Amino acid sequence: MDPGLHFWLRYVERAGGLAERSGDGTLVMLPEPLADDLDLPAELVVTSDPDVAREDGTVLLTTGHPVLIRAADATLTDGDAGVLALAEPTTPAPVADQLQERARDQFPVDHGRIDVAGLPRRITRPMLRVGALVTYSVSAEESYQESVECWVDALSRLPLSGHAASRLQHVPLAARPGSHRAILPSAISAIGEAHRILDSAAARRRDALSEQASDAHRQERAHARAYYDDTLRSLERRRAAAAPDRAELLAARAVSTREERTRRLAEIDEKYQARHVIRPFRLHVVAVPGWRVPLDVRRGPRRYPVERDWLPALGGYADERCPHCGAAAPLSAGKTRLGCVRCQSTASSSSTAAAP
Ligand SMILES: [Zn+2]
């Protein structure tokens, strides 16, 4: 089915309407307010197939149809925000040996080793799913819209991989959502990070799109330059051959032509100034159940306690940042503190440098 029609039928059903396959089309019954709002009869047959639409009384409804744009606009305006809780795992936490083995696999430690240091306890880890419509303008005539999405782990502020996000979307939801008030503050404070991720992805995409428009930009600039250069050359020729009072007039014209050239080139640059606008329409706080596992990172006799969250929905631990510098880099157990390969290497190189 045409994705536009599919979207519209779901929209109608959410608004209390009914949709049912009927012959080659789909029979739709609209509640009165919706029928009035869309200016459609309360009962109609719709299709996305132009051949079927030739039959009497069947409405051709595909991407671009006004009622579809209206539904899309209403959906974007209402937004899609809320808290979702994933179903509790049906199996107990993995045994300590498994948790330890997986922690060692997932978090290799330079100069150290991870040991399980206690019993796991049940936790709920908030994740954010943010969706937005991005409008890119790459010239005065050319603009594009695309839908973008990102998932962010609210505690670590790290983006989830596409694989992890897709796993979370396939886990069934809890039968009773329960109260997740406790996770909201951290979820809300991660929204800024989600925005930054979307914004930098949009900026990269905008640059790629405007690269395609830059040929047209260069051409238009070159044409304008050539035109003004010609005009100025001809004014100069005429001035050189003219009588003094006439020459003065032509010199003044040359000055105003140069000003006009500057204005015109700025106008062209402005016209090809790439922009993007982010319109968020989805914010889901997803409560992901799991177990918090106390661990020790050991280097010889030293122990650095850390915690990692085992999330059955991901089939692994949630990724974490370096406890010292916040980088998303592998851990490194130093002689005086736990850090990551980045901050420990700069610490050791600066101490070597300071030694002499
Ligand atoms: Zn670090």
Side-chain angles (χ1 to χ4, degrees):
M1 186 186 278
D2 176 77
L5 179 57
H6 181 69
F7 162 78
W8 190 75
L9 292 175
R10 278 189 307 160
Y11 172 77
V12 162
E13 283 177 335
R14 268 204 312 275
L18 295 169
E20 192 181 276
R21 292 290 298 174
S22 148
D24 290 332
T26 305
L27 174 69
V28 178
M29 317 254 289
L30 299 173
E32 211 174 286
L34 184 62
D36 288 348
D37 184 44
L38 297 176
D39 203 14
L40 286 173
E43 192 179 320
L44 73 162
V45 178
V46 296
T47 178
S48 56
D49 183 345
D51 289 334
V52 176
R54 286 200 190 97
E55 291 165 30
D56 271 357
T58 302
V59 177
L60 179 64
L61 220 164
T62 51
T63 307
H65 193 285
V67 301
L68 215 148
I69 292 172
R70 199 106 131 243
D73 218 40
T75 305
L76 288 170
T77 305
D78 289 351
D80 172 20
V83 180
L84 302 169
L86 301 189
E88 298 280 323
T90 47
T91 50
V95 295
D97 279 355
Q98 280 173 326
L99 288 171
Q100 180 165 288
E101 193 186 326
R102 292 302 301 268
R104 287 177 178 177
D105 281 352
Q106 196 175 332
F107 307 108
V109 185
D110 246 25
H111 314 297
R113 193 187 73 186
I114 288 186
D115 290 342
V116 164
L119 290 174
R121 62 177 199 280
R122 270 285 289 112
I123 50 104
T124 299
R125 191 163 173 118
M127 307 277 179
L128 284 186
R129 179 188 185 186
V130 181
L133 179 76
V134 185
T135 305
Y136 302 96
S137 318
V138 296
S139 74
E141 287 104 35
E142 253 181 297
S143 72
Y144 304 91
Q145 286 192 317
E146 286 176 359
S147 140
V148 295
E149 180 170 274
C150 80
W151 284 74
V152 179
D153 181 329
L155 295 190
S156 66
R157 311 269 173 94
L158 288 171
L160 298 192
S161 68
H163 176 70
S166 129
R167 279 190 74 129
L168 291 185
Q169 283 180 79
H170 288 95
V171 174
L173 297 179
R176 271 175 306 170
S179 169
H180 292 283
R181 221 163 263 247
I183 64 170
L184 282 180
S186 62
I188 288 163
S189 63
I191 292 174
E193 187 58 32
H195 181 85
R196 270 190 292 282
I197 291 169
L198 290 181
D199 195 40
S200 64
R204 282 195 300 276
R205 178 80 179 124
R206 183 195 67 199
D207 290 346
L209 289 169
S210 67
E211 191 54 40
Q212 295 162 20
S214 64
D215 272 348
H217 183 189
R218 273 193 292 273
Q219 256 176 34
E220 201 166 328
R221 231 175 178 281
H223 282 156
R225 271 196 168 282
Y227 166 77
Y228 286 107
D229 288 353
D230 269 2
T231 312
L232 287 166
R233 263 196 303 274
S234 132
L235 284 171
E236 177 55 27
R237 260 197 318 272
R238 285 155 62 197
R239 191 192 62 81
D245 57 335
R246 175 96 180 121
E248 206 172 302
L249 202 72
L250 288 165
R253 283 230 349 237
V255 170
S256 67
T257 303
R258 279 193 200 93
E259 283 168 6
E260 194 187 312
R261 177 177 66 183
T262 308
R263 255 198 322 274
R264 179 69 195 125
L265 291 176
E267 258 171 38
I268 294 172
D269 291 346
E270 167 72 19
K271 174 178 158 189
Y272 286 98
Q273 177 69 51
R275 291 185 183 84
H276 73 266
V277 176
I278 295 179
R279 182 180 180 187
F281 63 85
R282 175 170 297 133
L283 174 61
H284 290 175
V285 176
V286 183
V288 181
W291 281 278
R292 187 151 295 164
V293 185
L295 301 162
D296 276 339
V297 174
R298 299 185 52 189
R299 172 171 179 165
R302 290 175 204 87
R303 284 169 185 275
Y304 302 109
V306 294
E307 289 182 321
R308 288 291 183 266
D309 289 351
W310 175 263
L311 305 177
L314 292 183
Y317 287 97
D319 283 326
E320 302 284 356
R321 290 175 182 273
C322 166
H324 181 69
C325 75
L331 291 172
S332 173
K335 287 180 183 151
T336 53
R337 61 170 167 81
L338 180 67
C340 68
V341 291
R342 283 198 211 163
C343 59
Q344 297 285 30
S345 74
T346 49
S348 61
S349 61
S350 63
S351 65
T352 347

